[in-house]
Amino acid sequence: MEDNNHESDQEISSLRAREEEIERRKMKVKEKVELQLSRAEEATRRLAHIWEELEVLTDPMRKEVANLRKRIDIVNRETKTLGQSCQKKEKEYKETLEAFNEKNKEKGQLVSTLKEMLAESERLRMKKLEELSKIIETSN
């Protein structure tokens, strides 16, 4: 019986030792899980902080981009209006230049005609003066 008791004590002791080993391993696993949880929590906090910084970072940029786009649209409209005005004035300038050139050409023709008429008038007067001179010479 004593042998049974002794064997029973050894079995109990062996069971306790295995139970303690299981408990130690359980504690080690629990510590590892807690360590990883704390790392995960820290990573979550870091990511949340980065996310907040991204939100703050993109918001002002969106406003600036929107403002620049509005200004570009305004300048585009002004440029379009100025371009139309420029085309209209260019057309007016070309028409006016063409009329100016035509009038200059007409003036040149008139001046040429005037010179011819003056030359003819001078020739006729000289001829008349010569005739009158001959008449006076023959009458003397």
Side-chain angles (χ1 to χ4, degrees):
M1 210 109 143
E2 214 172 277
D3 282 336
N4 268 346
N5 234 358
H6 186 61
E7 284 178 21
S8 171
D9 285 344
Q10 282 182 343
E11 281 181 27
I12 291 173
S13 193
S14 174
L15 282 173
R16 280 188 191 147
R18 279 186 278 171
E19 199 60 42
E20 287 173 3
E21 181 63 27
I22 289 172
E23 193 62 34
R24 273 195 308 275
R25 285 186 181 179
K26 179 180 167 185
M27 292 306 276
K28 280 185 181 181
V29 169
K30 203 174 195 182
E31 287 174 5
K32 287 180 182 178
V33 168
E34 286 176 355
L35 182 63
Q36 286 199 3
L37 278 174
S38 69
R39 287 181 187 160
E41 288 172 355
E42 179 59 32
T44 301
R45 279 193 296 274
R46 280 195 319 255
L47 288 172
H49 179 69
I50 290 170
W51 185 264
E52 288 173 8
E53 285 186 22
L54 281 173
E55 287 297 313
V56 170
L57 179 69
T58 56
D59 193 31
M61 290 173 67
R62 285 183 193 156
K63 288 178 185 176
E64 287 296 317
V65 167
N67 285 338
L68 284 174
R69 284 185 176 145
K70 285 178 187 175
R71 288 174 56 197
I72 289 170
D73 288 343
I74 290 169
V75 170
N76 268 345
R77 275 185 251 124
E78 291 172 352
T79 302
K80 184 178 178 182
T81 303
L82 290 171
Q84 290 170 342
S85 175
C86 186
Q87 287 176 344
K88 181 181 175 185
K89 291 187 188 283
E90 280 179 346
K91 182 180 176 186
E92 289 174 7
Y93 170 77
K94 286 177 183 176
E95 290 172 353
T96 304
L97 182 63
E98 189 177 319
F100 174 78
N101 287 337
E102 285 178 18
K103 289 296 177 183
N104 261 344
K105 183 179 176 182
E106 183 181 349
K107 176 184 163 188
Q109 289 171 345
L110 291 173
V111 166
S112 194
T113 303
L114 176 64
K115 285 180 183 177
E116 288 174 14
M117 288 177 88
L118 288 175
E120 181 66 20
S121 172
E122 184 181 313
R123 190 184 61 77
L124 289 173
R125 282 185 294 154
M126 287 302 283
K127 186 178 175 184
K128 189 68 171 176
L129 282 173
E130 284 177 18
E131 285 176 14
L132 290 173
S133 256
K134 280 185 185 177
I135 292 175
I136 290 178
E137 285 177 15
T138 52
S139 39
N140 276 343

